[in-house]
Amino acid sequence: MTRAVVAGVGAYLPRTRVSNDALAEKVDTSDDWIRSRTGIGARHIAAADESCAMMATEAARLALAQAGATAAEVDGVIVATATPDQAFPATATRVQAGLGMTRGFGFDVSAACSGFIYALSVADAMIRAGQARTLLVIGAEVFSRLMNWQDRTTCVLFGDGAGAVLLRAQNGTDGRGILSTHLHADGTLGDLLYVDGAVGQPERSGTLVMNGREIFRHAVVKLAETVEEALAAHGLDPSAVDWLVPHQANLRIIEAMGKRLSLPAERVVVTVDRHANTSAASIPLALAEAVNDGRIKPGDLVVMEALGGGLTWGSALVRM
Ligand code: ACO
């Protein structure tokens, strides 16, 4: 059976780190409020030269290097982002250019904070179908450019960054690879989290609007359901899971999911304290960190889950 195996991971964080205390000098908030409600202590904010495409390209370079692969081998680039630098061309094609690629395909996936799970699902299906053998899947976001910096209820929650994985088709029997992905959306809940504006609505502000309480309520229920369905699809008990690599929105949601899986805290990868919520970039950033520091090892069973604007949500079960 052909499976998509994670052959390399990479990450890019903007040079500028902004602590809660630094933010509290500009916004009516405090380190104590942000930390106690969300677990966030700091975030990275992109400078003018740190575009979505630039960060995605740097993360991709590292994923290629870790896999010992060259850009010439890559059949396609899929970028999950809600904050592309331009309406088109797709960020993925800008990444291709950055890597010197003149062949293969490139496109973006828009599913807000669930974008990486959606992109992983598409890539997995393409590899299983034999349409591609080597794919770069990237989550990259500059949410700082979507913020209303006068709105303390949202601007303290988000950060910028990019993470990438290189997937390779493998016809092995060692059980490694993406075991399954599970995608959901409920469009009737779209007004709980959205951006007020786009190219076709120039009169709107174009900043993020969120009903935090309602999102929190949906996240706890829907994420638990999608993790349970991922395990049930393989007849697995939560005790089979080695690592939870969740979307990093709020430490309280992350801890609730860890408890659902009966995982000790040290088996749950947390970056929200240092990165805040980087939307589609948060899972690959967390994955890259835990692979690179040696926590996640080949053969480990990893559950990923995310929920975001749409609402969209989903999970992925991956044997590393
Ligand atoms: N600093 C200080 N006070 C604040 C701040 C702030 N940054 N923000 C809000 N407050 C105040 C409010 O004005 C309110 O004051 P009031 O009671 O006098 O009116 C009080 O704090 C409580 O506000 P709530 O919104 O009720 O705070 P809550 O405890 O619900 O926490 C939060 C808000 C952190 C946003 C929480 O609801 C949450 O995490 N929700 C989930 C959000 C999420 O996960 N979003 C991302 C998922 S999708 C994606 O990733 C895009």
Side-chain angles (χ1 to χ4, degrees):
M1 180 200 289
T2 302
R3 280 219 177 111
V5 171
V6 176
V9 294
Y12 182 90
L13 284 167
R15 297 181 296 273
T16 305
R17 175 184 170 278
V18 179
S19 68
N20 291 343
D21 284 332
L23 199 56
E25 287 172 19
K26 296 186 183 139
V27 181
D28 180 17
T29 189
S30 66
D31 177 58
D32 183 53
W33 192 95
I34 301 171
R35 230 177 250 280
S36 62
R37 295 296 210 290
T38 69
I40 294 166
R43 74 284 297 139
H44 290 254
I45 302 288
D49 63 330
E50 293 175 308
S51 66
C52 183
M54 175 272 188
M55 296 195 297
T57 306
E58 292 311 308
R61 268 190 229 290
L62 293 170
L64 285 169
Q66 191 173 83
T70 65
E73 297 169 38
V74 175
D75 297 317
V77 181
I78 306 176
V79 176
T81 186
T83 49
D85 304 312
Q86 297 163 300
F88 72 86
T91 311
T93 60
R94 295 295 191 196
V95 172
Q96 270 197 314
L99 297 175
M101 290 170 63
T102 55
R103 61 167 286 276
F105 58 83
F107 62 91
D108 291 359
V109 168
S110 172
C113 297
S114 314
F116 184 75
I117 299 282
Y118 270 63
L120 205 61
S121 182
V122 172
D124 179 41
M126 292 181 108
I127 286 177
R128 283 177 193 262
Q131 201 174 352
R133 291 197 62 79
T134 307
L135 291 176
L136 273 167
V137 182
I138 305 166
E141 301 279 19
V142 273
F143 259 53
S144 61
R145 293 176 193 161
L146 276 187
M147 289 299 122
N148 170 359
W149 287 97
Q150 264 70 55
D151 177 8
R152 67 177 184 172
T153 68
T154 54
C155 75
V156 303
L157 303 174
F158 294 91
D160 303 332
V165 300
L166 186 80
L167 296 179
R168 270 205 183 115
Q170 199 165 292
N171 299 311
T173 50
D174 59 1
R176 289 184 66 206
I178 299 174
L179 304 190
S180 60
T181 56
H182 305 267
L183 305 184
H184 300 275
D186 179 349
T188 66
L189 300 172
D191 287 341
L192 294 182
L193 177 56
Y194 63 96
V195 175
D196 170 26
V199 178
Q201 299 179 310
E203 73 285 358
R204 312 293 279 281
S205 66
T207 56
L208 182 142
V209 182
M210 180 171 77
N211 181 334
R213 269 204 186 161
E214 278 298 296
I215 291 283
F216 193 101
R217 201 171 64 76
H218 283 288
V220 175
V221 175
K222 290 178 165 49
L223 291 173
E225 284 172 359
T226 189
V227 166
E228 276 158 22
E229 78 176 325
L231 293 174
H234 303 274
L236 290 170
D237 188 76
S239 61
V241 175
D242 295 303
W243 295 97
L244 175 64
V245 181
H247 171 47
Q248 309 280 324
N250 183 311
L251 189 59
R252 288 185 291 163
I253 299 174
I254 294 172
E255 286 174 348
M257 295 307 302
K259 281 207 183 96
R260 279 296 275 243
L261 288 167
S262 305
L263 279 174
E266 58 274 17
R267 291 268 157 184
V268 179
V269 181
V270 174
T271 55
V272 70
D273 52 331
R274 290 157 291 126
H275 301 173
N277 181 348
T278 57
S279 186
S282 90
I283 289 177
L285 271 169
L287 183 70
E289 182 174 286
V291 168
N292 288 335
D293 68 18
R295 276 179 289 167
I296 295 182
K297 296 189 172 53
D300 283 353
L301 186 65
V302 175
V303 175
M304 306 172 192
E305 40 85 341
L307 176 135
L311 292 184
T312 57
W313 67 100
S315 59
L317 200 58
V318 182
R319 178 78 65 190
M320 295 295 291

